[in-house]
Amino acid sequence: MADQIPLYPVRSAGAAGHKRAAYYSAAGPGPGADRRGRYQLEDESAHLDEMPLMMSEEGFENDESDYHTLPRARIERRKSGLEWFVCGGWKFLCSSCCDWLINICHRKKELKARTVWLGCPEKSEEKYPRNSIKNQKYNVFTFIPGVLYEQFKFFLNLYFLVVSCSQFVPALKIGYLYTYWAPLGFVLAVTITREAIDEFRRFQRDKEVNSQLYSKLTVRGKVQVKSSDIQVGDLIIVEKNQRIPSDMVFLRTSEKAGSCFIRTDQLDGETDWKLKVAVSCTQRLPALGDLFSIRAYVYAQKPQLDIHSFEGTFTRIGLLDLELNQLTKALFLALVVLSVVMVTLQGFAGPWYRNLFRFLLLFSYIIPISLRVNLDMGKAAYGWMIMKDENIPGTVVRTSTIPEELGRLVYLLTDKTGTLTQNEMTFRRLHLGTVSYGADTMDEIQTHVLSSYAQVHPQTGGNNPSSTPPRRAQSSTPKVRKSVSSRVHEAVKAIALCHNVTPVYESQAGVTGETESAEADQDFSDENRTYQASSPDEVALVRWTESVGLTLVSRDLTSMQLKTPGGQVLTYCILQVFPFTSESKRMGIIVRDESTAEITFYMKGADVAMSSIVQYNDWLEEECGNMAREGLRTLVVAKKALTEEQYQDFESRYSQAKLSIHDRVLKVAAVVESLERELELLCLTGVEDQLQADVRPTLEMLRNAGIKIWMLTGDKLETATCIAKSSHLVSRTQDIHIFRPVTSRGEAHLELNAFRRKHDCALVISGDSLEVCLKYYEHELVELACQCPAVVCCRCSPTQKAHIVTLLRQHTGRRTCAIGDGGNDVSMIQAADCGIGIEGKEGKQASLAADFSITQFRHVGRLLMVHGRNSYKRSAALGQFVMHRGLIISTMQAVFSSVFYFASVPLYQGFLMVGYATIYTMFPVFSLVLDQDVKPEMAILYPELYKDLTKGRSLSFKTFLIWVLISIYQGGILMFGALVLFEAEFVHVVAISFTALVLTELLMVALTIRTWHWLMVVAEFLSLGCYVASLAFLNEYFGIGRVSFGAFLDVAFITTVPFLWKVSAITVVSCLPLYVLKYLKRKLSPPSYSKLSS
């Protein structure tokens, strides 16, 4: 294996369709092995014959620290009896019965421990799923049923399915079958085609990943296998910079020490390299082929719940679709009422129930079946516009069903690292207590380091390249105040030694041979050196020591070497390493100087952890606060000199504690804690995580648009607070209320009361305090937090981020958007109404799981202010206009039936009904997707325009009723005008009224448009031309009651002057008042956008 292996989680095919991918289904060096980060390998054994390779669960972290579930706010009074059944108990009973049936039909496989033989997949005791990714929603058998279910669960489509099926009953048939089945079939064809395209794209993405080639080690040598063909037990050779294709056990590497760096960006969002060590017995094998000769196997306990699992959603439905679905139900109620009125006016004569159903069919165009297809096609157009926008390059629309959601957002929940910041750390400040060094005085530090090592060179005569300045004289007289140069030297040396960074040198010819040849090809020059560590802060510190003259040139498990400004190489033996943990918040190292045999214990960590273990000082707390206010991440560095006797005593106690069977962790911590007393404080460092480009203006734009921004981060409180200030997430005029740490209900109650008295201030709260408050006062906390202009939640776990999003949706009912860039943001992104992923250094997992993918945070502004706003306003106008188109023709049908003594006779038949919703009016109506009220530049310059959309005024019952009244007025004018003006030519009423209807629709589209596009003009004239041509060539469809009376349209009649002026008069009467009202409204009460456009 190579020395750099990114870690990549792969879901098996068996778990792809489940809502919760909670288990990993196999073990071993192939796709079945349990996740490396969750287990520790017991590899202290020194003999090859100690088999099997045991895997224990000692590496499992404490689940309590990861907030798998957050407690609910309060326990309501338990309902019983009929009240319980009516208030939701029936749902519980139904779901329980369904779950019971599912369990009977498909019993869940029992999870148990596994034994996997190295390189022998055929020895597996059970059958494991394929190692393939499957993100497809359907398969060959479920595609058609699944798509049909998704369509007919909407009331609109289900209604038209019932209406179309009713035409197979002779007594209810009122026209040709294609009149109803053609529109329904067209809608389904468009939907099925769109789903098929999306499904094929998902299939292609899966195929690309599953077809990646890997080297598989066999008895006969290496062979290339696809990722999907890897089996449990296979031995896979992962090359440098390759994604790990499955869960694996680390057996061997080309590095002599058995070390390897992996990256877990797809799991936790951390882009830094983590050092892992191979199993010692397999690492010491002479050659790769010996892995087959030792006949070893891996024993792994049964799969456990993993913190990186997430809840998936089958499909998303936007709020606009739900609102239109409610309006559709209101239209259905109006349809029923109108049909009942018509039957009542008939006096319930004859088979009234059959007449009632026929009226339901005649007025069925009140509910337009073309509504769904127009909206779906409009959403596809919006997605195309977003991806073709040159101002936001690289943007991808992954969910084409909710682009209008971008125009109604009230809450934006964002990650910090990698989203608002660049995740690139830069060393900014070094504070020694009495003197502080910033970016403009770093050359002074370089001078001090150079002079410190130059002084020792004459004393040693330059013969010892590993010589160091003698420190015993200073340590023997601790009361003497050290010089600034000496203190700078000690601080720089401590920073250069206390870390987990490893320098890596690129090989000139790939890593394909054994270790010796790989090392021979390596270039150890400064230009070829890169650093790898578990934290970007660590790399920033080591790069800074290199810039001031002290360079880390090599490191392995037992030693490290530093190069001085004069080219001397200092060797230090690594005796112990105490890694950083989230609990201790510090890391330590014990090293021995090879030239002087001095033993020193170095430690660095957060100020809250270090302040109690360093010697008394009066500046640390104040300076930490100052650096935090500057937006810097702080680390306290300290040391303690140890004698040989002190270290030997510590080592014996430490080794004994590690061998303890009971309370091993506590005993080890107690022994280490014995060293952490009265440490000498050396310095305080400040590292800056730089903001992404244009973060400040983007956040200010979003805030002016009325969007409340919440920052959810795993970083510490001080850093999160200063980033919120530096990014202008919190404006300079706003106060910040830092929620005090609470651990009990009483403390939470007092702190909430204190917070309640604050007004217009941002809230900063930690994850621990948030958990306690949600446990006892969920509703109160969310209510208070929603009143804040900005909220910062620090120390949040991935599951806690998702829970916060869910709480906002449930308690406020407003639209939420989550944006992140790492795998740890996936659960938050999927929990929100709209998810935005950023393709960054943390991989593509967030962008692939999101609805929209962008490349920079600043693109959010244009995505929301321009495309989100336009998509919502266009969809609202398009939806209501399509409803108007159905209402007006239904009104004309009602008037026509009234003239025929309330008979259930259709006014328009056959092709006219199909053509009305398609070729005659479809293109002009659909051209509304190109309409815009203001230019994009104006929408960005005045983000306040976005604020009106969050109230949902573009599509509401008020606007819906206005369109209903317009439809009734125009339908009545068109039908009564045709009957009054053409009383002598009553046989031509169909041609007269239908011509006026088409002209009215074209004029209404022109009335609705706010900014003309050349395609709109083309659509208007194209539709008009198609209608004129149909008058000439399809005249048999324009006779009244063609089925009953057999009348045809006289072509000569439509060329007469009376026909033209009377049709024009009817059209003018139906449209002119609306133009006048629009003009008066624009003058007396102009909308906000009209002030800008003028």
Side-chain angles (χ1 to χ4, degrees):
M1 290 193 204
D3 56 354
Q4 298 176 4
I5 302 178
L7 186 61
Y8 186 72
V10 179
R11 291 185 297 163
S12 64
H18 292 264
K19 272 194 172 183
R20 192 177 187 86
Y23 298 95
Y24 292 92
S25 58
D34 294 282
R35 198 162 297 279
R36 179 71 175 91
R38 291 302 238 173
Y39 292 99
Q40 299 284 341
L41 291 178
E42 300 289 346
D43 56 0
E44 289 85 357
S45 167
H47 303 286
L48 292 178
D49 55 352
E50 293 188 12
M51 296 295 170
L53 307 177
M54 298 294 293
M55 294 182 68
S56 71
E57 284 199 323
E58 294 173 3
F60 268 93
E61 299 173 2
N62 185 4
D63 287 343
E64 293 180 358
S65 66
D66 209 68
Y67 312 109
H68 278 281
T69 55
L70 289 175
R72 287 180 165 76
R74 61 191 67 185
I75 301 176
E76 298 182 355
R77 177 180 63 86
R78 183 180 293 274
K79 300 180 177 66
S80 59
L82 181 61
E83 181 185 6
W84 172 84
F85 183 82
V86 173
C87 295
W90 63 274
K91 292 184 179 179
F92 174 76
L93 290 177
C94 293
S95 61
S96 299
C97 293
C98 292
D99 292 340
W100 178 77
L101 289 173
I102 291 174
N103 289 331
I104 292 296
C105 301
H106 181 68
R107 293 187 180 274
K108 187 177 294 185
K109 184 178 180 180
E110 181 183 358
L111 300 173
K112 56 185 179 181
R114 292 143 297 167
T115 299
V116 181
W117 289 86
L118 268 60
C120 301
E122 65 277 0
K123 290 188 177 182
S124 297
E125 298 176 354
E126 56 182 303
K127 184 178 180 181
Y128 296 106
R130 296 180 67 231
N131 183 51
S132 61
I133 288 180
K134 184 180 180 184
N135 290 311
Q136 295 166 250
K137 294 163 59 175
Y138 314 103
N139 57 36
V140 176
F141 302 102
T142 62
F143 177 73
I144 296 298
V147 173
L148 292 180
Y149 169 75
E150 288 298 316
Q151 290 304 304
F152 290 124
K153 72 179 182 181
F154 284 101
F155 177 79
L156 173 66
N157 293 346
L158 181 62
Y159 168 76
F160 264 94
L161 177 65
V162 174
V163 169
S164 300
C165 291
S166 68
Q167 294 303 290
F168 289 108
V169 180
L172 302 177
K173 186 176 181 181
I174 59 174
Y176 292 115
L177 287 177
Y178 69 82
T179 304
Y180 292 91
W181 280 101
L184 181 62
F186 179 71
V187 170
L188 294 180
V190 171
T191 302
I192 291 175
T193 302
R194 188 195 66 188
E195 284 291 335
I197 293 174
D198 291 344
E199 191 74 359
F200 182 71
R201 289 174 178 171
R202 284 189 287 266
F203 168 76
Q204 286 184 315
R205 290 199 298 265
D206 292 345
K207 184 179 180 181
E208 180 182 355
V209 176
N210 294 329
S211 299
Q212 291 180 353
L213 296 178
Y214 289 85
S215 297
K216 173 182 173 181
L217 187 63
T218 65
V219 179
R220 292 178 294 275
K222 299 179 184 178
V223 295
Q224 294 289 315
V225 294
K226 294 181 180 179
S227 172
S228 57
D229 294 334
I230 295 176
Q231 301 180 43
V232 175
D234 281 344
L235 296 178
I236 303 299
I237 301 175
V238 183
E239 303 292 344
K240 182 177 180 178
N241 289 331
Q242 261 192 322
R243 289 284 179 189
I244 290 184
S246 59
D247 300 339
M248 290 186 170
V249 176
F250 183 24
L251 299 177
R252 183 179 171 85
T253 179
S254 59
E255 290 292 325
K256 184 183 298 183
S259 60
C260 169
F261 287 92
I262 67 170
R263 197 169 66 196
T264 59
D265 55 343
Q266 299 295 333
L267 294 179
D268 51 21
E270 296 182 3
T271 59
D272 316 298
W273 299 99
K274 296 175 175 59
L275 178 65
K276 299 296 179 182
V277 182
V279 179
S280 60
C281 55
T282 52
Q283 176 64 31
R284 288 194 299 270
L285 292 174
L288 286 175
D290 294 333
L291 288 171
F292 294 96
S293 62
I294 60 176
R295 297 182 58 79
Y297 62 86
V298 172
Y299 173 79
Q301 295 186 354
K302 67 179 182 179
Q304 303 292 327
L305 285 173
D306 194 276
I307 129 183
H308 302 297
S309 59
F310 59 88
E311 291 187 1
T313 52
F314 185 74
T315 185
R316 292 190 180 221
I317 300 173
L319 180 61
L320 183 80
D321 294 316
L322 299 177
E323 291 173 341
L324 289 173
N325 203 44
Q326 295 298 324
L327 295 180
T328 302
K329 295 177 182 178
L331 290 175
F332 176 74
L333 181 62
L335 166 65
V336 174
V337 171
L338 180 60
S339 301
V340 171
V341 169
M342 298 298 288
V343 173
T344 303
L345 294 176
Q346 277 185 334
F348 291 97
W352 62 269
Y353 52 86
R354 189 178 66 181
N355 292 334
L356 175 63
F357 201 92
R358 288 179 62 87
F359 276 121
L360 289 174
L361 296 176
L362 284 176
F363 300 142
S364 62
Y365 281 90
I366 288 180
I367 306 175
I369 189 173
S370 58
L371 177 62
R372 293 295 312 169
V373 69
N374 275 277
L375 289 177
D376 288 345
M377 293 170 61
K379 292 174 181 179
Y382 306 148
W384 183 84
M385 294 176 191
I386 292 174
M387 290 190 286
K388 292 299 181 181
D389 191 344
E390 296 179 354
N391 295 290
I392 47 175
T395 302
V396 179
V397 178
R398 301 194 186 278
T399 304
S400 60
T401 57
I402 57 170
E404 69 279 350
E405 292 293 282
L406 295 172
R408 310 189 60 179
L409 301 179
V410 178
Y411 292 96
L412 179 69
L413 300 99
T414 174
D415 181 37
K416 181 184 74 68
T417 305
T419 303
L420 298 180
T421 62
Q422 298 181 18
N423 202 15
E424 291 183 357
M425 307 303 171
T426 306
F427 191 94
R428 291 298 184 190
R429 192 174 298 280
L430 178 72
H431 204 293
L432 302 179
T434 57
V435 60
S436 176
Y437 297 94
D440 54 345
T441 55
M442 290 298 175
D443 54 340
E444 297 183 21
I445 298 179
Q446 189 173 6
T447 303
H448 287 310
V449 173
L450 182 62
S451 62
S452 297
Y453 284 104
Q455 292 173 5
V456 75
H457 188 70
Q459 301 173 7
T460 60
N463 297 326
N464 186 4
S466 301
S467 58
T468 57
R471 313 307 302 168
R472 292 191 182 277
Q474 290 186 5
S475 60
S476 62
T477 58
K479 295 183 180 180
V480 178
R481 188 179 185 88
K482 296 180 180 179
S483 66
V484 173
S485 180
S486 175
R487 292 166 60 200
V488 169
H489 169 256
E490 285 291 340
V492 173
K493 186 172 72 170
I495 296 172
L497 289 172
C498 187
H499 53 71
N500 62 358
V501 181
T502 301
V504 176
Y505 299 90
E506 298 291 334
S507 300
Q508 293 178 346
V511 183
T512 56
E514 293 297 326
T515 305
E516 291 77 15
S517 62
E519 291 179 349
D521 291 335
Q522 287 183 347
D523 178 10
F524 290 95
S525 62
D526 292 345
E527 295 79 11
N528 195 43
R529 183 189 309 113
T530 58
Y531 294 110
Q532 294 177 348
S534 60
S535 169
D537 303 66
E538 298 267 76
V539 176
L541 292 173
V542 173
R543 288 190 183 279
W544 175 77
T545 63
E546 179 184 2
S547 68
V548 297
L550 197 56
T551 305
L552 176 68
V553 293
S554 70
R555 176 176 182 159
D556 54 29
L557 297 179
T558 58
S559 66
M560 72 173 76
Q561 291 181 327
L562 305 179
K563 186 172 70 174
T564 67
Q568 302 165 312
V569 177
L570 314 177
T571 303
Y572 294 87
C573 178
I574 301 175
L575 302 178
Q576 301 287 347
V577 177
F578 313 109
F580 177 90
T581 64
S582 58
E583 291 79 20
S584 66
K585 298 180 182 178
R586 56 186 181 268
M587 71 88 58
I589 187 172
I590 301 178
V591 297
R592 176 189 282 118
D593 190 333
E594 291 292 340
S595 62
T596 63
E598 285 186 352
I599 300 176
T600 309
F601 170 47
Y602 292 103
M603 175 161 281
K604 69 179 179 184
D607 55 297
V608 293
M610 297 291 291
S611 58
S612 60
I613 62 178
V614 298
Q615 296 174 353
Y616 173 76
N617 62 87
D618 57 357
W619 60 272
L620 180 60
E621 182 178 357
E622 180 182 356
E623 292 303 328
C624 284
N626 292 337
M627 287 191 185
R629 281 186 285 274
E630 294 179 27
L632 303 180
R633 302 156 70 103
T634 58
L635 279 177
V636 180
V637 184
K639 78 165 189 174
K640 184 176 186 179
L642 301 176
T643 63
E644 186 68 32
E645 293 76 15
Q646 288 175 328
Y647 174 70
Q648 293 299 333
D649 175 63
F650 166 79
E651 186 183 29
S652 62
R653 292 185 290 117
Y654 189 64
S655 300
Q656 186 176 1
K658 289 198 296 184
L659 296 175
S660 300
I661 300 177
H662 303 291
D663 299 329
R664 179 187 301 177
V665 176
L666 295 177
K667 292 180 180 179
V668 169
V671 175
V672 176
E673 189 178 348
S674 65
L675 276 183
E676 301 171 347
R677 295 174 184 170
E678 292 298 311
L679 270 66
E680 177 187 352
L681 177 58
L682 296 178
C683 64
L684 176 66
T685 65
V687 176
E688 180 186 25
D689 189 358
Q690 297 179 340
L691 293 175
Q692 287 204 15
D694 295 334
V695 163
R696 293 188 181 97
T698 301
L699 290 177
E700 186 175 358
M701 178 198 303
L702 297 175
R703 190 167 56 247
N704 293 336
I707 298 176
K708 296 183 178 181
I709 305 169
W710 290 32
M711 185 171 75
L712 311 181
T713 176
D715 217 329
K716 63 182 181 180
L717 185 143
E718 295 82 4
T719 307
T721 304
C722 67
I723 291 295
K725 292 179 179 178
S726 63
S727 65
H728 293 178
L729 174 66
V730 178
S731 63
R732 296 181 179 180
T733 59
Q734 289 175 346
D735 295 329
I736 295 181
H737 177 81
I738 298 180
F739 206 89
R740 295 179 181 177
V742 296
T743 57
S744 62
R745 181 170 186 167
E747 293 176 353
H749 181 78
L750 294 175
E751 189 61 25
L752 281 173
N753 284 337
F755 176 48
R756 192 186 298 272
R757 291 190 287 269
K758 299 290 184 71
H759 299 285
D760 193 34
C761 68
L763 172 65
V764 179
I765 186 172
S766 66
D768 294 336
S769 301
L770 181 68
E771 181 190 17
V772 175
C773 292
L774 291 178
K775 183 177 181 180
Y776 301 109
Y777 301 105
E778 179 181 286
H779 180 75
E780 291 81 359
L781 176 64
V782 176
E783 181 181 5
L784 290 173
C786 289
Q787 297 174 4
C788 298
V791 176
V792 177
C793 298
C794 54
R795 294 301 187 195
C796 283
S797 69
T799 49
Q800 201 171 18
K801 290 181 180 181
H803 191 75
I804 293 172
V805 175
T806 305
L807 285 177
L808 274 179
R809 294 179 60 191
Q810 293 176 346
H811 283 265
T812 66
R814 299 298 185 94
R815 312 312 283 173
T816 61
C817 174
I819 177 171
D821 69 321
N824 56 334
D825 301 318
V826 169
S827 56
M828 172 179 72
I829 288 173
Q830 293 193 333
D833 297 298
C834 176
I836 301 177
I838 298 179
E839 286 192 20
K841 296 182 179 180
E842 300 187 9
K844 296 184 178 181
Q845 189 169 355
S847 66
L848 290 174
D851 303 305
F852 303 90
S853 173
I854 59 178
T855 56
Q856 299 182 47
F857 181 82
R858 63 178 179 176
H859 293 167
V860 173
R862 186 176 180 88
L863 188 64
L864 269 58
M865 299 300 109
V866 177
H867 295 287
R869 185 174 182 274
N870 286 340
S871 297
Y872 172 57
K873 294 183 74 70
R874 290 165 176 171
S875 291
L878 180 63
Q880 293 178 118
F881 202 95
V882 172
M883 290 183 181
H884 156 76
R885 190 173 61 183
L887 281 167
I888 189 174
I889 199 170
S890 297
T891 302
M892 296 175 68
Q893 176 67 56
V895 174
F896 179 77
S897 296
S898 300
V899 172
F900 275 82
Y901 304 99
F902 309 106
S904 54
V905 178
L907 173 59
Y908 307 122
Q909 297 198 32
F911 178 78
L912 292 186
M913 296 302 293
V914 177
Y916 172 68
T918 53
I919 61 172
Y920 295 154
T921 61
M922 181 181 71
F923 297 115
V925 171
F926 186 71
S927 67
L928 291 174
V929 301
L930 301 173
D931 189 25
Q932 61 181 19
D933 50 1
V934 294
K935 295 182 179 180
E937 296 77 13
M938 199 67 68
I940 295 176
L941 186 61
Y942 297 96
E944 291 80 8
L945 292 171
Y946 187 91
K947 196 178 298 184
D948 296 337
L949 305 187
T950 59
K951 301 174 184 178
R953 293 176 178 173
S954 296
L955 178 63
S956 62
F957 271 101
K958 178 182 177 181
T959 60
F960 171 68
L961 289 176
I962 291 175
W963 277 103
V964 169
L965 294 177
I966 292 174
S967 303
I968 294 175
Y969 165 75
Q970 290 185 326
I973 291 295
L974 291 175
M975 201 64 236
F976 278 115
L979 295 175
V980 171
L981 294 180
F982 292 89
E983 185 175 1
E985 299 91 3
F986 188 72
V987 71
H988 300 303
V989 69
V990 171
I992 297 165
S993 60
F994 197 80
T995 302
L997 172 63
V998 172
L999 293 176
T1000 297
E1001 286 298 295
L1002 297 181
L1003 290 175
M1004 285 299 295
V1005 170
L1007 175 66
T1008 307
I1009 291 175
R1010 290 158 293 192
T1011 304
W1012 282 89
H1013 190 279
W1014 67 270
L1015 286 176
M1016 296 176 175
V1017 179
V1018 171
E1020 291 269 328
F1021 283 102
L1022 178 64
S1023 297
L1024 183 60
C1026 290
Y1027 178 71
V1028 172
S1030 65
L1031 280 176
F1033 298 104
L1034 300 174
N1035 58 350
E1036 68 271 14
Y1037 289 101
F1038 289 89
I1040 180 173
R1042 186 177 67 86
V1043 175
S1044 304
F1045 302 98
F1048 291 85
L1049 174 67
D1050 184 3
V1051 178
F1053 171 73
I1054 63 175
T1055 59
T1056 60
V1057 174
F1059 174 83
L1060 296 177
W1061 80 259
K1062 290 182 180 180
V1063 168
S1064 301
I1066 296 174
T1067 306
V1068 169
V1069 173
S1070 67
C1071 295
L1072 184 61
L1074 299 179
Y1075 273 84
V1076 173
L1077 290 175
K1078 180 182 179 181
Y1079 176 81
L1080 293 177
K1081 182 180 179 182
R1082 192 180 181 92
K1083 288 295 183 181
L1084 300 177
S1085 179
S1088 55
Y1089 69 84
S1090 65
K1091 303 174 185 177
L1092 299 177
S1093 58
S1094 61

